[in-house]
Amino acid sequence: MGVREHEHEPGHEFDHDLAHDDVLATTDLIALDGVVPKGGHPVHDRIAGASLGRPLGYALPGAALLGRPGCGGDDADAAKHRDLLLCFPFDLEELPDGRGYQHVTLAVWLDEGTHALALHPAPGTTAADGTEVAAFGLGQDQLRWTYRAPGRSGALRPDGRWAQAVVRLPMTAAEVSGRLSLTTVTVQPVLGGTFLRREAQTPYDTPFRLRLADTWPAAAPVAHDGRLPGAWALAGYEDGAAVDGDGDTPGEELPPGLRRLCLAVDIEKYSARDNADMVRLQRVLLRTLRAACEQAGVEWQHCGRQAQGDGYLLVLEPGIDESRVVPALLAGLAAGLAEANAPAVAAAGAPYGGRDRGPTVPGDIRMRASLHQGIVHEADSGYAGSAVVALFRVLDSGPVRRALADTLSTHLVVAFSDALYQDLVATGYEGLSADGFERAEIRSEAKSFTGVAWIRAMPPSRNAAFAL
């Protein structure tokens, strides 16, 4: 969604006299395909209306934000920042004539000095009614939640929607402020089983301002619920393919493209597990990734995160020291897997971390990982860009799968893209060794992809180190 001019119409100005009014603004949703008469102004075709609730704020005890070190628990940080839970409620107008909302996007622009530490609904959330939520903006001042109805003909409930963000602002700030906007896509059944789709948006951005003196004190820190925080799976993503016929919106700006280091992981033989074991594996996967990030000094909340059940994508924040982060991250993954597998391995009577007795130890967790870096965009349904596509093509390739299947002495096989291998491993940075790497040609005729990867099995010890 492009950032529009945030001039607002008369009658919608922020009014301090309305501080106790629950409604921030009522606004129309104007069709983006409005007709522009020759030599005239666009015809504002009203699709529906919306009510934006006044944002609510809850002051959080910074020492225990999310219950994790590094998210406000540092005394030095606590002296510089304060954390708030902001709630953004909104309602959509009921639609007549069999029309329904296919999806709606709430966009929030926070004023300078404020950024998001956590989003709720979290990326990848599926509500009880099947609504899917994509959320973007961790570590940033531009936030976006997109609620999508289940199925091609599904419709969203128009009322009672909201989004929340834990935000951090300077300790000297007296208020938090920004702008809100809504974009919707409505569908209407027509003859022949097709649907008429129309996109609409608020004609202006609505400003909000919340004085910190008017926030509520939170009775307890925000609890970390442990659910997978990823966005929609990449499994349905294909190069340039639109979802459900969605095309590019005329005039929509391309999201910022930043060079990011990307890590993708996938659990071996996940689909062969029973339901209870799948749940356990997802928990182990998330716990292992978080621990690896902590070991590498990577802020989990500043990473782009995208879950896929048996796999996960991490898009690390720009500007990290890859020569130090990469070996520590992989060592953390190997150590986490060895720790998770210790009970099963011990029960099988094998040495810790060993698999010389065969690949069928109950509960054993084995994983493929791939690393690549390149330009990445935050798109409407996940992270997009040729770097992300190449990352998953390598991860899912035959050579990487065979390397894990044929190496029974490890829990983790890692594949570097050729460019990343040349930058980090071949250059000889401390902690990175070329020993054990094998070059592989990656070809996928079905996906029209060719490339080179460097593959290596990680040592399975409890305190795995990348260099042998």
Side-chain angles (χ1 to χ4, degrees):
M1 178 189 310
V3 178
R4 302 185 304 281
E5 294 294 329
H6 56 276
E7 295 297 328
H8 48 281
E9 295 178 350
H12 293 274
E13 292 89 348
F14 184 88
D15 189 342
H16 285 289
D17 295 335
L18 300 178
H20 298 291
D21 187 356
D22 291 339
V23 177
L24 178 67
T26 56
T27 181
D28 293 331
L29 293 163
I30 305 300
L32 294 180
D33 57 0
V35 177
V36 182
K38 186 175 181 179
H41 297 287
V43 175
H44 284 186
D45 186 359
R46 183 184 185 276
I47 297 297
S51 174
L52 294 170
R54 190 173 300 281
L56 302 174
Y58 298 85
L60 299 176
L65 178 63
L66 299 178
R68 293 183 57 245
C71 288
D74 186 276
D75 290 340
D77 263 0
K80 298 177 183 177
H81 308 101
R82 65 177 73 204
D83 300 325
L84 294 178
L85 173 64
L86 293 180
C87 304
F88 302 101
F90 65 95
D91 294 307
L92 302 173
E93 183 180 286
E94 292 275 0
L95 294 174
D97 306 325
R99 289 187 294 152
Y101 295 98
Q102 186 179 65
H103 57 83
V104 57
T105 296
L106 171 69
V108 179
W109 291 272
L110 300 169
D111 285 343
E112 188 175 357
T114 305
H115 65 275
L117 298 178
L119 304 176
H120 190 77
T125 298
T126 300
D129 62 359
T131 299
E132 296 174 310
V133 183
F136 302 99
L138 281 174
Q140 301 178 28
D141 57 6
Q142 298 183 21
L143 317 180
R144 188 169 78 250
W145 289 266
T146 296
Y147 304 78
R148 184 183 292 269
R152 183 169 177 268
S153 59
L156 293 170
R157 186 189 74 249
D159 61 330
R161 297 213 168 266
W162 53 271
Q164 293 179 319
V166 176
V167 302
R168 173 161 289 177
L169 60 159
M171 181 60 74
T172 56
E175 64 181 25
V176 59
S177 60
R179 298 173 282 126
L180 306 172
S181 75
L182 287 173
T183 301
T184 63
V185 172
T186 59
V187 293
Q188 181 176 10
V190 294
L191 295 177
T194 59
F195 293 87
L196 174 64
R197 300 177 70 259
R198 300 195 71 187
E199 186 170 4
Q201 67 181 11
T202 50
Y204 53 87
D205 299 335
T206 300
F208 69 89
R209 185 177 300 119
L210 178 64
R211 294 180 299 178
L212 300 189
D214 295 330
T215 60
W216 298 83
V222 177
H224 174 62
D225 60 13
R227 288 179 294 179
L228 291 173
W232 292 337
L234 280 180
Y237 175 83
E238 292 299 337
D239 307 359
V243 180
D244 290 338
D246 292 353
D248 293 336
T249 302
E252 183 172 304
E253 294 180 4
L254 181 69
L258 299 176
R259 186 165 296 278
R260 312 279 288 271
L261 175 67
C262 301
L263 167 70
V265 297
D266 188 270
I267 297 173
E268 182 188 49
K269 298 180 180 178
Y270 175 84
S271 59
R273 313 280 183 138
D274 60 30
N275 290 356
D277 210 21
M278 287 183 183
V279 172
R280 181 183 71 88
L281 292 183
Q282 289 194 18
R283 290 172 178 166
V284 169
L285 175 62
L286 184 59
R287 185 168 62 244
T288 300
L289 283 168
R290 291 176 70 102
C293 284
E294 185 174 354
Q295 178 170 326
V298 172
E299 287 286 343
W300 179 259
Q301 295 294 339
H302 290 176
C303 291
R305 309 191 299 276
Q306 190 159 296
Q308 318 181 213
D310 60 342
Y312 213 89
L313 168 66
L314 275 183
V315 182
L316 281 69
E317 60 183 318
I320 63 169
D321 184 348
E322 295 179 4
S323 65
R324 296 184 181 183
V325 166
V326 168
L329 198 61
L330 295 179
L333 283 179
L337 286 174
E339 188 72 24
N341 286 322
V345 172
Y352 186 88
R355 304 187 81 255
D356 53 347
R357 71 280 168 221
T360 58
V361 175
D364 217 7
I365 304 170
R366 309 182 73 214
M367 185 185 295
R368 306 187 314 278
S370 64
L371 284 154
H372 187 32
Q373 54 93 7
I375 300 297
V376 177
H377 298 270
E378 283 193 14
D380 290 344
S381 59
Y383 290 90
S386 58
V388 176
V389 173
L391 182 79
F392 279 91
R393 296 290 183 257
V394 170
L395 182 71
D396 295 332
S397 68
V400 178
R401 289 179 178 274
R402 286 192 296 272
L404 183 60
D406 295 344
T407 312
L408 302 182
S409 61
T410 188
H411 299 127
L412 176 66
V413 162
V414 178
F416 280 59
S417 67
D418 185 55
L420 191 63
Y421 177 89
Q422 300 301 333
D423 282 347
L424 292 179
V425 181
T427 309
Y429 282 106
E430 182 179 357
L432 293 166
S433 170
D435 294 340
F437 274 99
E438 294 187 5
R439 186 180 185 277
E441 298 281 347
I442 308 297
R443 291 188 177 87
S444 174
E445 294 183 4
K447 305 295 185 181
S448 302
F449 176 84
T450 59
V452 172
W454 294 82
I455 306 170
R456 183 192 169 184
M458 289 290 293
S461 64
R462 185 186 298 267
N463 296 308
F466 190 71
L468 291 176

